[in-house]
Short mmCIF file of all heavy atoms in Angstrom, two decimals:
data_model
loop_
_atom_site.label_atom_id
_atom_site.label_comp_id
_atom_site.label_asym_id
_atom_site.label_seq_id
_atom_site.Cartn_x
_atom_site.Cartn_y
_atom_site.Cartn_z
N GLU A 51 13.37 7.75 -2.00
CA GLU A 51 14.20 8.28 -3.09
C GLU A 51 13.36 8.67 -4.30
O GLU A 51 13.73 9.59 -5.04
CB GLU A 51 15.25 7.25 -3.51
CG GLU A 51 16.39 7.13 -2.53
CD GLU A 51 17.38 6.04 -2.90
OE1 GLU A 51 17.31 5.50 -4.03
OE2 GLU A 51 18.21 5.71 -2.03
N LEU A 52 12.23 8.01 -4.51
CA LEU A 52 11.36 8.34 -5.63
C LEU A 52 10.71 9.71 -5.47
O LEU A 52 10.25 10.31 -6.44
CB LEU A 52 10.27 7.29 -5.80
CG LEU A 52 10.71 5.86 -6.13
CD1 LEU A 52 9.49 4.94 -6.18
CD2 LEU A 52 11.49 5.82 -7.43
N PHE A 53 10.66 10.20 -4.21
CA PHE A 53 9.94 11.44 -3.92
C PHE A 53 10.79 12.49 -3.22
O PHE A 53 10.25 13.46 -2.69
CB PHE A 53 8.70 11.12 -3.07
CG PHE A 53 7.75 10.17 -3.74
CD1 PHE A 53 7.76 8.81 -3.43
CD2 PHE A 53 6.87 10.62 -4.70
CE1 PHE A 53 6.89 7.93 -4.05
CE2 PHE A 53 6.00 9.75 -5.34
CZ PHE A 53 6.01 8.40 -5.02
N ASP A 54 12.09 12.31 -3.21
CA ASP A 54 12.94 13.24 -2.44
C ASP A 54 13.02 14.64 -3.03
O ASP A 54 13.55 15.55 -2.41
CB ASP A 54 14.33 12.66 -2.21
CG ASP A 54 15.12 12.42 -3.48
OD1 ASP A 54 14.63 12.74 -4.58
OD2 ASP A 54 16.24 11.90 -3.37
N ASP A 55 12.44 14.84 -4.21
CA ASP A 55 12.42 16.17 -4.81
C ASP A 55 11.18 16.97 -4.42
O ASP A 55 11.05 18.14 -4.78
CB ASP A 55 12.49 16.06 -6.34
CG ASP A 55 11.31 15.30 -6.93
OD1 ASP A 55 10.75 14.42 -6.25
OD2 ASP A 55 10.95 15.60 -8.08
N LEU A 56 10.28 16.38 -3.65
CA LEU A 56 9.04 17.05 -3.26
C LEU A 56 9.21 17.75 -1.92
O LEU A 56 9.95 17.28 -1.04
CB LEU A 56 7.89 16.03 -3.14
CG LEU A 56 7.50 15.29 -4.41
CD1 LEU A 56 6.38 14.31 -4.11
CD2 LEU A 56 7.09 16.27 -5.50
N ASP A 57 8.51 18.84 -1.76
CA ASP A 57 8.46 19.56 -0.49
C ASP A 57 7.26 19.01 0.28
O ASP A 57 6.12 19.37 -0.02
CB ASP A 57 8.32 21.06 -0.75
CG ASP A 57 8.24 21.87 0.54
OD1 ASP A 57 8.74 21.40 1.57
OD2 ASP A 57 7.64 22.97 0.49
N LEU A 58 7.53 18.12 1.23
CA LEU A 58 6.46 17.42 1.94
C LEU A 58 6.46 17.78 3.42
O LEU A 58 7.51 18.07 4.00
CB LEU A 58 6.65 15.91 1.82
CG LEU A 58 6.59 15.32 0.42
CD1 LEU A 58 7.06 13.87 0.44
CD2 LEU A 58 5.18 15.42 -0.14
N ASP A 59 5.27 17.69 4.02
CA ASP A 59 5.14 17.85 5.46
C ASP A 59 4.96 16.52 6.18
O ASP A 59 5.35 16.37 7.33
CB ASP A 59 3.95 18.77 5.77
CG ASP A 59 4.17 20.17 5.23
OD1 ASP A 59 5.10 20.84 5.72
OD2 ASP A 59 3.44 20.58 4.31
N PHE A 60 4.34 15.56 5.49
CA PHE A 60 4.16 14.25 6.11
C PHE A 60 3.88 13.19 5.05
O PHE A 60 3.62 13.51 3.89
CB PHE A 60 3.03 14.26 7.17
CG PHE A 60 1.65 14.55 6.66
CD1 PHE A 60 0.81 13.51 6.26
CD2 PHE A 60 1.16 15.84 6.64
CE1 PHE A 60 -0.48 13.77 5.83
CE2 PHE A 60 -0.14 16.11 6.20
CZ PHE A 60 -0.96 15.07 5.80
N VAL A 61 3.97 11.94 5.51
CA VAL A 61 3.62 10.77 4.71
C VAL A 61 2.49 10.08 5.45
O VAL A 61 2.52 9.96 6.67
CB VAL A 61 4.81 9.80 4.54
CG1 VAL A 61 4.40 8.54 3.78
CG2 VAL A 61 5.98 10.49 3.86
N ILE A 62 1.48 9.63 4.71
CA ILE A 62 0.35 8.93 5.33
C ILE A 62 0.12 7.60 4.63
O ILE A 62 0.34 7.48 3.42
CB ILE A 62 -0.94 9.78 5.29
CG1 ILE A 62 -2.02 9.18 6.20
CG2 ILE A 62 -1.43 9.97 3.87
CD1 ILE A 62 -3.21 10.11 6.44
N GLY A 63 -0.29 6.61 5.40
CA GLY A 63 -0.67 5.31 4.86
C GLY A 63 -1.93 4.83 5.54
O GLY A 63 -2.25 5.26 6.65
N PRO A 64 -2.67 3.95 4.88
CA PRO A 64 -3.87 3.39 5.50
C PRO A 64 -3.51 2.33 6.54
O PRO A 64 -2.60 1.52 6.33
CB PRO A 64 -4.62 2.77 4.32
CG PRO A 64 -3.58 2.49 3.29
CD PRO A 64 -2.49 3.49 3.51
N ALA A 65 -4.19 2.35 7.68
CA ALA A 65 -3.98 1.32 8.69
C ALA A 65 -4.66 0.04 8.19
O ALA A 65 -5.66 0.10 7.50
CB ALA A 65 -4.58 1.76 10.02
N MET A 66 -4.11 -1.02 8.44
CA MET A 66 -2.93 -1.33 9.21
C MET A 66 -1.71 -1.47 8.28
O MET A 66 -0.61 -1.13 8.68
CB MET A 66 -3.10 -2.64 9.98
CG MET A 66 -3.99 -2.54 11.20
SD MET A 66 -3.48 -1.40 12.51
CE MET A 66 -1.85 -1.94 12.98
N GLY A 67 -1.92 -1.95 7.09
CA GLY A 67 -0.80 -2.26 6.20
C GLY A 67 0.12 -1.11 5.87
O GLY A 67 1.30 -1.31 5.62
N GLY A 68 -0.37 0.12 5.88
CA GLY A 68 0.45 1.26 5.49
C GLY A 68 1.13 1.98 6.63
O GLY A 68 1.85 2.95 6.40
N VAL A 69 0.94 1.54 7.87
CA VAL A 69 1.50 2.24 9.02
C VAL A 69 3.03 2.16 9.02
O VAL A 69 3.71 3.18 9.09
CB VAL A 69 0.92 1.71 10.35
CG1 VAL A 69 1.60 2.36 11.54
CG2 VAL A 69 -0.58 1.94 10.40
N VAL A 70 3.56 0.96 8.97
CA VAL A 70 5.02 0.80 8.97
C VAL A 70 5.62 1.43 7.72
O VAL A 70 6.63 2.14 7.80
CB VAL A 70 5.42 -0.69 9.08
CG1 VAL A 70 6.93 -0.87 8.91
CG2 VAL A 70 4.98 -1.26 10.43
N LEU A 71 4.99 1.23 6.57
CA LEU A 71 5.50 1.80 5.33
C LEU A 71 5.52 3.32 5.40
O LEU A 71 6.50 3.95 4.99
CB LEU A 71 4.67 1.34 4.14
CG LEU A 71 5.14 1.83 2.78
CD1 LEU A 71 6.56 1.37 2.48
CD2 LEU A 71 4.18 1.37 1.69
N ALA A 72 4.47 3.94 5.92
CA ALA A 72 4.45 5.40 6.07
C ALA A 72 5.58 5.84 6.99
O ALA A 72 6.28 6.83 6.71
CB ALA A 72 3.10 5.88 6.60
N PHE A 73 5.80 5.11 8.07
CA PHE A 73 6.85 5.48 9.02
C PHE A 73 8.24 5.41 8.40
O PHE A 73 9.01 6.36 8.49
CB PHE A 73 6.78 4.57 10.26
CG PHE A 73 7.82 4.92 11.28
CD1 PHE A 73 7.60 5.92 12.20
CD2 PHE A 73 9.04 4.26 11.31
CE1 PHE A 73 8.56 6.26 13.14
CE2 PHE A 73 10.01 4.58 12.23
CZ PHE A 73 9.77 5.59 13.15
N VAL A 74 8.57 4.30 7.75
CA VAL A 74 9.93 4.16 7.21
C VAL A 74 10.15 5.10 6.03
O VAL A 74 11.27 5.60 5.83
CB VAL A 74 10.28 2.69 6.84
CG1 VAL A 74 10.33 1.82 8.10
CG2 VAL A 74 9.33 2.11 5.80
N THR A 75 9.11 5.38 5.26
CA THR A 75 9.24 6.32 4.15
C THR A 75 9.40 7.74 4.68
O THR A 75 10.24 8.51 4.20
CB THR A 75 8.04 6.22 3.19
OG1 THR A 75 7.90 4.87 2.75
CG2 THR A 75 8.21 7.12 1.98
N ALA A 76 8.61 8.09 5.69
CA ALA A 76 8.73 9.41 6.32
C ALA A 76 10.10 9.60 6.95
O ALA A 76 10.70 10.67 6.84
CB ALA A 76 7.63 9.60 7.36
#
Side-chain angles (χ1 to χ4, degrees):
E51 286 176 11
L52 297 177
F53 300 99
D54 63 2
D55 61 331
L56 298 179
D57 179 25
L58 298 169
D59 296 295
F60 64 90
V61 176
I62 192 168
M66 285 300 302
V69 175
V70 173
L71 182 60
F73 181 84
V74 294
T75 305

